[in-house]
Structures are given as structure tokens and as C-alpha cells.
mmCIF file of all heavy atoms in Angstrom:
data_model
loop_
_atom_site.group_PDB
_atom_site.id
_atom_site.type_symbol
_atom_site.label_atom_id
_atom_site.label_comp_id
_atom_site.label_asym_id
_atom_site.label_seq_id
_atom_site.Cartn_x
_atom_site.Cartn_y
_atom_site.Cartn_z
ATOM 1 N N ARG A 1 138.368 -165.254 -42.080
ATOM 2 C CA ARG A 1 136.910 -165.087 -42.054
ATOM 3 C C ARG A 1 136.280 -165.706 -40.819
ATOM 4 O O ARG A 1 135.131 -166.134 -40.837
ATOM 5 C CB ARG A 1 136.286 -165.665 -43.324
ATOM 6 C CG ARG A 1 136.735 -164.982 -44.596
ATOM 7 C CD ARG A 1 136.024 -165.531 -45.813
ATOM 8 N NE ARG A 1 136.349 -166.919 -46.077
ATOM 9 C CZ ARG A 1 137.392 -167.330 -46.802
ATOM 10 N NH1 ARG A 1 138.210 -166.442 -47.311
ATOM 11 N NH2 ARG A 1 137.600 -168.607 -47.009
ATOM 12 N N ALA A 2 137.067 -165.766 -39.717
ATOM 13 C CA ALA A 2 136.586 -166.330 -38.445
ATOM 14 C C ALA A 2 136.109 -167.772 -38.596
ATOM 15 O O ALA A 2 135.309 -168.251 -37.815
ATOM 16 C CB ALA A 2 135.480 -165.458 -37.843
ATOM 17 N N GLY A 3 136.605 -168.463 -39.629
ATOM 18 C CA GLY A 3 136.268 -169.869 -39.821
ATOM 19 C C GLY A 3 135.062 -170.136 -40.686
ATOM 20 O O GLY A 3 134.681 -171.296 -40.880
ATOM 21 N N ILE A 4 134.459 -169.102 -41.244
ATOM 22 C CA ILE A 4 133.266 -169.277 -42.086
ATOM 23 C C ILE A 4 133.678 -169.897 -43.420
ATOM 24 O O ILE A 4 134.516 -169.348 -44.129
ATOM 25 C CB ILE A 4 132.554 -167.932 -42.305
ATOM 26 C CG1 ILE A 4 132.007 -167.405 -40.981
ATOM 27 C CG2 ILE A 4 131.446 -168.055 -43.344
ATOM 28 C CD1 ILE A 4 131.512 -165.972 -41.037
ATOM 29 N N VAL A 5 133.092 -171.027 -43.762
ATOM 30 C CA VAL A 5 133.456 -171.719 -45.006
ATOM 31 C C VAL A 5 132.317 -171.759 -46.021
ATOM 32 O O VAL A 5 132.520 -172.129 -47.176
ATOM 33 C CB VAL A 5 133.953 -173.160 -44.728
ATOM 34 C CG1 VAL A 5 135.228 -173.136 -43.928
ATOM 35 C CG2 VAL A 5 132.887 -173.988 -44.027
ATOM 36 N N HIS A 6 131.111 -171.417 -45.606
ATOM 37 C CA HIS A 6 129.991 -171.321 -46.550
ATOM 38 C C HIS A 6 128.977 -170.356 -45.965
ATOM 39 O O HIS A 6 129.055 -169.993 -44.793
ATOM 40 C CB HIS A 6 129.358 -172.694 -46.826
ATOM 41 C CG HIS A 6 128.669 -173.312 -45.642
ATOM 42 N ND1 HIS A 6 127.304 -173.316 -45.489
ATOM 43 C CD2 HIS A 6 129.172 -173.941 -44.544
ATOM 44 C CE1 HIS A 6 126.987 -173.932 -44.362
ATOM 45 N NE2 HIS A 6 128.104 -174.325 -43.768
ATOM 46 N N ARG A 7 128.047 -169.941 -46.779
ATOM 47 C CA ARG A 7 127.110 -168.909 -46.347
ATOM 48 C C ARG A 7 125.667 -169.338 -46.497
ATOM 49 O O ARG A 7 125.339 -170.247 -47.263
ATOM 50 C CB ARG A 7 127.300 -167.633 -47.176
ATOM 51 C CG ARG A 7 128.551 -166.882 -46.854
ATOM 52 C CD ARG A 7 128.562 -165.583 -47.639
ATOM 53 N NE ARG A 7 129.774 -164.825 -47.376
ATOM 54 C CZ ARG A 7 130.133 -163.758 -48.061
ATOM 55 N NH1 ARG A 7 129.387 -163.342 -49.063
ATOM 56 N NH2 ARG A 7 131.228 -163.108 -47.769
ATOM 57 N N LEU A 8 124.823 -168.628 -45.777
ATOM 58 C CA LEU A 8 123.384 -168.625 -46.034
ATOM 59 C C LEU A 8 122.999 -167.173 -46.295
ATOM 60 O O LEU A 8 123.563 -166.254 -45.700
ATOM 61 C CB LEU A 8 122.599 -169.158 -44.833
ATOM 62 C CG LEU A 8 122.820 -170.619 -44.449
ATOM 63 C CD1 LEU A 8 122.024 -170.947 -43.182
ATOM 64 C CD2 LEU A 8 122.417 -171.554 -45.573
ATOM 65 N N ASP A 9 122.030 -166.970 -47.178
ATOM 66 C CA ASP A 9 121.527 -165.612 -47.401
ATOM 67 C C ASP A 9 121.000 -165.033 -46.095
ATOM 68 O O ASP A 9 120.591 -165.766 -45.186
ATOM 69 C CB ASP A 9 120.401 -165.626 -48.435
ATOM 70 C CG ASP A 9 120.893 -166.002 -49.820
ATOM 71 O OD1 ASP A 9 122.079 -165.793 -50.116
ATOM 72 O OD2 ASP A 9 120.071 -166.518 -50.607
ATOM 73 N N LYS A 10 120.974 -163.721 -46.022
ATOM 74 C CA LYS A 10 120.513 -163.037 -44.812
ATOM 75 C C LYS A 10 119.174 -163.576 -44.325
ATOM 76 O O LYS A 10 118.995 -163.846 -43.133
ATOM 77 C CB LYS A 10 120.394 -161.534 -45.091
ATOM 78 C CG LYS A 10 119.790 -160.732 -43.950
ATOM 79 C CD LYS A 10 119.637 -159.265 -44.324
ATOM 80 C CE LYS A 10 118.957 -158.484 -43.204
ATOM 81 N NZ LYS A 10 118.766 -157.058 -43.569
ATOM 82 N N ASP A 11 118.209 -163.746 -45.220
ATOM 83 C CA ASP A 11 116.860 -164.131 -44.809
ATOM 84 C C ASP A 11 116.614 -165.631 -44.869
ATOM 85 O O ASP A 11 115.467 -166.078 -44.746
ATOM 86 C CB ASP A 11 115.827 -163.385 -45.648
ATOM 87 C CG ASP A 11 115.757 -161.911 -45.292
ATOM 88 O OD1 ASP A 11 116.020 -161.576 -44.128
ATOM 89 O OD2 ASP A 11 115.463 -161.101 -46.179
ATOM 90 N N THR A 12 117.662 -166.421 -45.058
ATOM 91 C CA THR A 12 117.545 -167.873 -44.977
ATOM 92 C C THR A 12 118.006 -168.311 -43.599
ATOM 93 O O THR A 12 119.067 -167.884 -43.129
ATOM 94 C CB THR A 12 118.415 -168.559 -46.052
ATOM 95 O OG1 THR A 12 117.939 -168.177 -47.341
ATOM 96 C CG2 THR A 12 118.351 -170.073 -45.926
ATOM 97 N N SER A 13 117.227 -169.142 -42.949
ATOM 98 C CA SER A 13 117.592 -169.668 -41.637
ATOM 99 C C SER A 13 118.231 -171.035 -41.804
ATOM 100 O O SER A 13 118.141 -171.665 -42.857
ATOM 101 C CB SER A 13 116.345 -169.783 -40.756
ATOM 102 O OG SER A 13 115.345 -170.567 -41.405
ATOM 103 N N GLY A 14 118.901 -171.505 -40.739
ATOM 104 C CA GLY A 14 119.379 -172.874 -40.775
ATOM 105 C C GLY A 14 120.814 -173.085 -40.365
ATOM 106 O O GLY A 14 121.474 -172.211 -39.788
ATOM 107 N N LEU A 15 121.331 -174.265 -40.695
ATOM 108 C CA LEU A 15 122.585 -174.781 -40.163
ATOM 109 C C LEU A 15 123.799 -174.372 -40.985
ATOM 110 O O LEU A 15 123.773 -174.390 -42.213
ATOM 111 C CB LEU A 15 122.525 -176.308 -40.091
ATOM 112 C CG LEU A 15 121.464 -176.876 -39.136
ATOM 113 C CD1 LEU A 15 121.314 -178.368 -39.349
ATOM 114 C CD2 LEU A 15 121.822 -176.568 -37.690
ATOM 115 N N MET A 16 124.874 -174.037 -40.274
ATOM 116 C CA MET A 16 126.157 -173.716 -40.878
ATOM 117 C C MET A 16 127.267 -174.338 -40.047
ATOM 118 O O MET A 16 127.166 -174.389 -38.817
ATOM 119 C CB MET A 16 126.381 -172.194 -40.920
ATOM 120 C CG MET A 16 125.431 -171.419 -41.794
ATOM 121 S SD MET A 16 125.827 -169.651 -41.737
ATOM 122 C CE MET A 16 127.533 -169.663 -42.300
ATOM 123 N N VAL A 17 128.330 -174.790 -40.708
ATOM 124 C CA VAL A 17 129.511 -175.267 -39.996
ATOM 125 C C VAL A 17 130.581 -174.190 -40.058
ATOM 126 O O VAL A 17 130.748 -173.514 -41.069
ATOM 127 C CB VAL A 17 130.030 -176.611 -40.576
ATOM 128 C CG1 VAL A 17 130.415 -176.477 -42.039
ATOM 129 C CG2 VAL A 17 131.215 -177.120 -39.760
ATOM 130 N N VAL A 18 131.298 -174.013 -38.942
ATOM 131 C CA VAL A 18 132.335 -172.991 -38.825
ATOM 132 C C VAL A 18 133.584 -173.646 -38.245
ATOM 133 O O VAL A 18 133.508 -174.356 -37.240
ATOM 134 C CB VAL A 18 131.869 -171.839 -37.902
ATOM 135 C CG1 VAL A 18 132.975 -170.812 -37.732
ATOM 136 C CG2 VAL A 18 130.602 -171.184 -38.444
ATOM 137 N N ALA A 19 134.717 -173.408 -38.862
ATOM 138 C CA ALA A 19 135.983 -173.971 -38.384
ATOM 139 C C ALA A 19 136.562 -173.129 -37.252
ATOM 140 O O ALA A 19 136.432 -171.908 -37.237
ATOM 141 C CB ALA A 19 136.991 -174.062 -39.527
ATOM 142 N N ARG A 20 137.245 -173.795 -36.317
ATOM 143 C CA ARG A 20 137.913 -173.086 -35.233
ATOM 144 C C ARG A 20 139.434 -173.120 -35.386
ATOM 145 O O ARG A 20 140.136 -172.513 -34.579
ATOM 146 C CB ARG A 20 137.517 -173.691 -33.887
ATOM 147 C CG ARG A 20 136.019 -173.623 -33.586
ATOM 148 C CD ARG A 20 135.718 -174.140 -32.195
ATOM 149 N NE ARG A 20 136.246 -173.246 -31.173
ATOM 150 C CZ ARG A 20 136.370 -173.571 -29.890
ATOM 151 N NH1 ARG A 20 136.029 -174.789 -29.489
ATOM 152 N NH2 ARG A 20 136.859 -172.722 -29.014
ATOM 153 N N GLU A 21 139.925 -173.813 -36.394
ATOM 154 C CA GLU A 21 141.357 -173.903 -36.651
ATOM 155 C C GLU A 21 141.594 -173.787 -38.153
ATOM 156 O O GLU A 21 140.747 -174.197 -38.947
ATOM 157 C CB GLU A 21 141.924 -175.247 -36.158
ATOM 158 C CG GLU A 21 141.713 -175.503 -34.676
ATOM 159 C CD GLU A 21 142.051 -176.934 -34.298
ATOM 160 O OE1 GLU A 21 142.206 -177.776 -35.214
ATOM 161 O OE2 GLU A 21 142.153 -177.223 -33.096
ATOM 162 N N ARG A 22 142.766 -173.267 -38.539
ATOM 163 C CA ARG A 22 143.053 -173.100 -39.960
ATOM 164 C C ARG A 22 143.078 -174.446 -40.681
ATOM 165 O O ARG A 22 142.556 -174.582 -41.792
ATOM 166 C CB ARG A 22 144.388 -172.372 -40.142
ATOM 167 C CG ARG A 22 144.818 -172.198 -41.606
ATOM 168 C CD ARG A 22 143.783 -171.361 -42.355
ATOM 169 N NE ARG A 22 144.067 -171.304 -43.779
ATOM 170 C CZ ARG A 22 144.705 -170.298 -44.386
ATOM 171 N NH1 ARG A 22 145.135 -169.271 -43.689
ATOM 172 N NH2 ARG A 22 144.896 -170.304 -45.677
ATOM 173 N N SER A 23 143.679 -175.473 -40.060
ATOM 174 C CA SER A 23 143.753 -176.769 -40.731
ATOM 175 C C SER A 23 142.369 -177.363 -40.940
ATOM 176 O O SER A 23 142.099 -177.992 -41.972
ATOM 177 C CB SER A 23 144.621 -177.734 -39.913
ATOM 178 O OG SER A 23 144.068 -177.959 -38.625
ATOM 179 N N ILE A 24 141.477 -177.155 -39.983
ATOM 180 C CA ILE A 24 140.107 -177.661 -40.105
ATOM 181 C C ILE A 24 139.357 -176.869 -41.170
ATOM 182 O O ILE A 24 138.581 -177.428 -41.960
ATOM 183 C CB ILE A 24 139.373 -177.600 -38.758
ATOM 184 C CG1 ILE A 24 140.066 -178.506 -37.743
ATOM 185 C CG2 ILE A 24 137.911 -177.984 -38.919
ATOM 186 C CD1 ILE A 24 140.090 -179.976 -38.123
ATOM 187 N N MET A 25 139.600 -175.572 -41.242
ATOM 188 C CA MET A 25 138.970 -174.767 -42.293
ATOM 189 C C MET A 25 139.388 -175.265 -43.665
ATOM 190 O O MET A 25 138.555 -175.450 -44.562
ATOM 191 C CB MET A 25 139.342 -173.293 -42.126
ATOM 192 C CG MET A 25 138.696 -172.394 -43.162
ATOM 193 S SD MET A 25 139.056 -170.652 -42.862
ATOM 194 C CE MET A 25 137.853 -169.893 -43.978
ATOM 195 N N ASP A 26 140.697 -175.500 -43.842
ATOM 196 C CA ASP A 26 141.181 -175.999 -45.131
ATOM 197 C C ASP A 26 140.541 -177.341 -45.468
ATOM 198 O O ASP A 26 140.172 -177.597 -46.622
ATOM 199 C CB ASP A 26 142.700 -176.125 -45.112
ATOM 200 C CG ASP A 26 143.407 -174.776 -45.020
ATOM 201 O OD1 ASP A 26 142.757 -173.754 -45.318
ATOM 202 O OD2 ASP A 26 144.593 -174.751 -44.651
ATOM 203 N N ALA A 27 140.403 -178.201 -44.448
ATOM 204 C CA ALA A 27 139.807 -179.516 -44.684
ATOM 205 C C ALA A 27 138.335 -179.403 -45.047
ATOM 206 O O ALA A 27 137.844 -180.106 -45.939
ATOM 207 C CB ALA A 27 139.970 -180.398 -43.439
ATOM 208 N N LEU A 28 137.598 -178.513 -44.384
ATOM 209 C CA LEU A 28 136.181 -178.327 -44.695
ATOM 210 C C LEU A 28 135.996 -177.735 -46.091
ATOM 211 O O LEU A 28 135.089 -178.132 -46.831
ATOM 212 C CB LEU A 28 135.523 -177.420 -43.644
ATOM 213 C CG LEU A 28 135.288 -178.046 -42.273
ATOM 214 C CD1 LEU A 28 134.858 -176.989 -41.270
ATOM 215 C CD2 LEU A 28 134.239 -179.152 -42.358
ATOM 216 N N VAL A 29 136.858 -176.783 -46.438
ATOM 217 C CA VAL A 29 136.804 -176.219 -47.791
ATOM 218 C C VAL A 29 136.990 -177.319 -48.820
ATOM 219 O O VAL A 29 136.288 -177.381 -49.837
ATOM 220 C CB VAL A 29 137.867 -175.116 -47.956
ATOM 221 C CG1 VAL A 29 138.042 -174.742 -49.425
ATOM 222 C CG2 VAL A 29 137.490 -173.883 -47.142
ATOM 223 N N ASN A 30 137.921 -178.218 -48.554
ATOM 224 C CA ASN A 30 138.164 -179.318 -49.477
ATOM 225 C C ASN A 30 136.974 -180.275 -49.537
ATOM 226 O O ASN A 30 136.585 -180.733 -50.620
ATOM 227 C CB ASN A 30 139.422 -180.079 -49.057
ATOM 228 C CG ASN A 30 139.789 -181.167 -50.040
ATOM 229 O OD1 ASN A 30 140.047 -180.913 -51.208
ATOM 230 N ND2 ASN A 30 139.794 -182.407 -49.582
ATOM 231 N N LEU A 31 136.355 -180.562 -48.389
ATOM 232 C CA LEU A 31 135.178 -181.431 -48.370
ATOM 233 C C LEU A 31 134.047 -180.823 -49.192
ATOM 234 O O LEU A 31 133.353 -181.525 -49.942
ATOM 235 C CB LEU A 31 134.706 -181.668 -46.934
ATOM 236 C CG LEU A 31 135.541 -182.602 -46.071
ATOM 237 C CD1 LEU A 31 134.982 -182.643 -44.649
ATOM 238 C CD2 LEU A 31 135.583 -184.013 -46.656
ATOM 239 N N ILE A 32 133.854 -179.515 -49.056
ATOM 240 C CA ILE A 32 132.802 -178.846 -49.816
ATOM 241 C C ILE A 32 133.121 -178.891 -51.305
ATOM 242 O O ILE A 32 132.256 -179.182 -52.137
ATOM 243 C CB ILE A 32 132.618 -177.398 -49.335
ATOM 244 C CG1 ILE A 32 132.060 -177.390 -47.903
ATOM 245 C CG2 ILE A 32 131.699 -176.620 -50.260
ATOM 246 C CD1 ILE A 32 132.010 -176.021 -47.265
ATOM 247 N N ALA A 33 134.384 -178.624 -51.644
ATOM 248 C CA ALA A 33 134.777 -178.653 -53.046
ATOM 249 C C ALA A 33 134.611 -180.039 -53.647
ATOM 250 O O ALA A 33 134.271 -180.178 -54.829
ATOM 251 C CB ALA A 33 136.228 -178.189 -53.188
ATOM 252 N N GLN A 34 134.820 -181.077 -52.832
ATOM 253 C CA GLN A 34 134.664 -182.456 -53.289
ATOM 254 C C GLN A 34 133.216 -182.948 -53.184
ATOM 255 O O GLN A 34 132.944 -184.118 -53.425
ATOM 256 C CB GLN A 34 135.581 -183.375 -52.479
ATOM 257 C CG GLN A 34 137.066 -183.082 -52.632
ATOM 258 C CD GLN A 34 137.548 -183.264 -54.055
ATOM 259 O OE1 GLN A 34 137.165 -184.203 -54.731
ATOM 260 N NE2 GLN A 34 138.396 -182.339 -54.523
ATOM 261 N N ARG A 35 132.321 -182.067 -52.790
ATOM 262 C CA ARG A 35 130.900 -182.374 -52.652
ATOM 263 C C ARG A 35 130.645 -183.491 -51.643
ATOM 264 O O ARG A 35 129.829 -184.393 -51.855
ATOM 265 C CB ARG A 35 130.280 -182.719 -54.008
ATOM 266 C CG ARG A 35 130.453 -181.581 -55.021
ATOM 267 C CD ARG A 35 129.789 -181.874 -56.335
ATOM 268 N NE ARG A 35 130.024 -180.777 -57.267
ATOM 269 C CZ ARG A 35 129.558 -180.748 -58.509
ATOM 270 N NH1 ARG A 35 128.837 -181.755 -58.958
ATOM 271 N NH2 ARG A 35 129.810 -179.731 -59.292
ATOM 272 N N GLN A 36 131.360 -183.396 -50.520
ATOM 273 C CA GLN A 36 131.210 -184.377 -49.457
ATOM 274 C C GLN A 36 130.574 -183.777 -48.212
ATOM 275 O O GLN A 36 130.616 -184.386 -47.145
ATOM 276 C CB GLN A 36 132.570 -185.000 -49.142
ATOM 277 C CG GLN A 36 133.139 -185.825 -50.285
ATOM 278 C CD GLN A 36 134.501 -186.386 -49.990
ATOM 279 O OE1 GLN A 36 135.017 -186.287 -48.881
ATOM 280 N NE2 GLN A 36 135.124 -186.975 -50.999
ATOM 281 N N VAL A 37 130.018 -182.587 -48.344
ATOM 282 C CA VAL A 37 129.209 -181.985 -47.282
ATOM 283 C C VAL A 37 127.781 -181.932 -47.791
ATOM 284 O O VAL A 37 127.497 -181.307 -48.813
ATOM 285 C CB VAL A 37 129.709 -180.572 -46.913
ATOM 286 C CG1 VAL A 37 128.778 -179.922 -45.899
ATOM 287 C CG2 VAL A 37 131.126 -180.645 -46.357
ATOM 288 N N SER A 38 126.894 -182.614 -47.098
ATOM 289 C CA SER A 38 125.496 -182.690 -47.530
ATOM 290 C C SER A 38 124.684 -181.589 -46.852
ATOM 291 O O SER A 38 124.684 -181.474 -45.624
ATOM 292 C CB SER A 38 124.915 -184.068 -47.155
ATOM 293 O OG SER A 38 123.539 -184.114 -47.448
ATOM 294 N N ARG A 39 124.000 -180.790 -47.688
ATOM 295 C CA ARG A 39 123.132 -179.733 -47.157
ATOM 296 C C ARG A 39 121.761 -179.854 -47.801
ATOM 297 O O ARG A 39 121.643 -179.846 -49.033
ATOM 298 C CB ARG A 39 123.726 -178.351 -47.435
ATOM 299 C CG ARG A 39 124.943 -178.015 -46.579
ATOM 300 C CD ARG A 39 125.366 -176.582 -46.739
ATOM 301 N NE ARG A 39 126.022 -176.345 -48.006
ATOM 302 C CZ ARG A 39 126.293 -175.130 -48.479
ATOM 303 N NH1 ARG A 39 125.925 -174.056 -47.800
ATOM 304 N NH2 ARG A 39 126.894 -174.986 -49.632
ATOM 305 N N GLN A 40 120.735 -179.951 -46.986
ATOM 306 C CA GLN A 40 119.366 -180.028 -47.487
ATOM 307 C C GLN A 40 118.539 -178.896 -46.889
ATOM 308 O O GLN A 40 118.749 -178.483 -45.742
ATOM 309 C CB GLN A 40 118.741 -181.377 -47.140
ATOM 310 C CG GLN A 40 119.358 -182.544 -47.929
ATOM 311 C CD GLN A 40 118.633 -183.845 -47.662
ATOM 312 O OE1 GLN A 40 118.371 -184.209 -46.519
ATOM 313 N NE2 GLN A 40 118.320 -184.567 -48.723
ATOM 314 N N TYR A 41 117.605 -178.428 -47.696
ATOM 315 C CA TYR A 41 116.782 -177.279 -47.334
ATOM 316 C C TYR A 41 115.306 -177.648 -47.427
ATOM 317 O O TYR A 41 114.924 -178.581 -48.128
ATOM 318 C CB TYR A 41 117.044 -176.117 -48.298
ATOM 319 C CG TYR A 41 118.433 -175.525 -48.242
ATOM 320 C CD1 TYR A 41 119.542 -176.231 -48.702
ATOM 321 C CD2 TYR A 41 118.646 -174.243 -47.754
ATOM 322 C CE1 TYR A 41 120.817 -175.685 -48.671
ATOM 323 C CE2 TYR A 41 119.915 -173.679 -47.722
ATOM 324 C CZ TYR A 41 120.990 -174.403 -48.178
ATOM 325 O OH TYR A 41 122.246 -173.862 -48.148
ATOM 326 N N LEU A 42 114.497 -176.851 -46.752
ATOM 327 C CA LEU A 42 113.043 -176.913 -46.880
ATOM 328 C C LEU A 42 112.561 -175.569 -47.401
ATOM 329 O O LEU A 42 113.025 -174.518 -46.942
ATOM 330 C CB LEU A 42 112.391 -177.225 -45.532
ATOM 331 C CG LEU A 42 112.735 -178.596 -44.946
ATOM 332 C CD1 LEU A 42 112.260 -178.686 -43.494
ATOM 333 C CD2 LEU A 42 112.121 -179.710 -45.774
ATOM 334 N N ALA A 43 111.632 -175.610 -48.358
ATOM 335 C CA ALA A 43 111.157 -174.380 -48.980
ATOM 336 C C ALA A 43 109.644 -174.409 -49.113
ATOM 337 O O ALA A 43 109.058 -175.451 -49.434
ATOM 338 C CB ALA A 43 111.791 -174.213 -50.359
ATOM 339 N N LEU A 44 109.032 -173.267 -48.872
ATOM 340 C CA LEU A 44 107.593 -173.086 -49.099
ATOM 341 C C LEU A 44 107.441 -172.185 -50.311
ATOM 342 O O LEU A 44 107.958 -171.068 -50.339
ATOM 343 C CB LEU A 44 106.927 -172.454 -47.872
ATOM 344 C CG LEU A 44 105.429 -172.201 -47.987
ATOM 345 C CD1 LEU A 44 104.657 -173.505 -48.166
ATOM 346 C CD2 LEU A 44 104.919 -171.447 -46.747
ATOM 347 N N ALA A 45 106.731 -172.690 -51.322
ATOM 348 C CA ALA A 45 106.663 -171.973 -52.592
ATOM 349 C C ALA A 45 105.226 -171.791 -53.052
ATOM 350 O O ALA A 45 104.314 -172.511 -52.627
ATOM 351 C CB ALA A 45 107.455 -172.733 -53.663
ATOM 352 N N HIS A 46 105.047 -170.837 -53.933
ATOM 353 C CA HIS A 46 103.728 -170.548 -54.484
ATOM 354 C C HIS A 46 103.320 -171.594 -55.524
ATOM 355 O O HIS A 46 104.160 -172.227 -56.162
ATOM 356 C CB HIS A 46 103.731 -169.161 -55.126
ATOM 357 C CG HIS A 46 103.812 -168.045 -54.128
ATOM 358 N ND1 HIS A 46 102.713 -167.568 -53.465
ATOM 359 C CD2 HIS A 46 104.871 -167.331 -53.678
ATOM 360 C CE1 HIS A 46 103.093 -166.583 -52.646
ATOM 361 N NE2 HIS A 46 104.391 -166.425 -52.759
#
């Protein structure tokens, strides 16, 4: 998947991490699964 380990919806903007090596991809997948990647969003709501 060209190193893509997580997604944002088409109309959501913002930051994504992408692996450049298979070992790094596996490690990032594990970090996400272990909830050790922090992602925060900003939202404007009605």
C-alpha cells in the first residue's frame, strides 16, 4: 500500500504518517494497534 498505515476520509484534511520500509510499516502498524500513536482533530459543528 505504498507505506500507508492509516487513512483520512477524502474530505478530511490533516496529518498522516507513511512508511518507506516494510519493517517500519510493520512497526507503525504495531504502534497504532497498541494505541501509541496520538492523533488529534479539530472540528466545527452545528
Side-chain angles (χ1 to χ4, degrees):
R1 298 184 295 273
I4 295 169
V5 296
H6 66 103
R7 288 185 181 170
L8 295 177
D9 293 335
K10 174 183 177 182
D11 288 330
T12 297
S13 55
L15 296 169
M16 295 180 58
V17 60
V18 177
R20 299 184 68 194
E21 301 169 347
R22 177 61 187 262
S23 61
I24 297 299
M25 181 176 193
D26 293 342
L28 287 170
V29 167
N30 185 60
L31 286 176
I32 293 172
Q34 297 298 319
R35 302 183 182 180
Q36 294 178 7
V37 175
S38 174
R39 287 188 286 169
Q40 290 185 312
Y41 294 70
L42 296 169
L44 179 63
H46 289 278

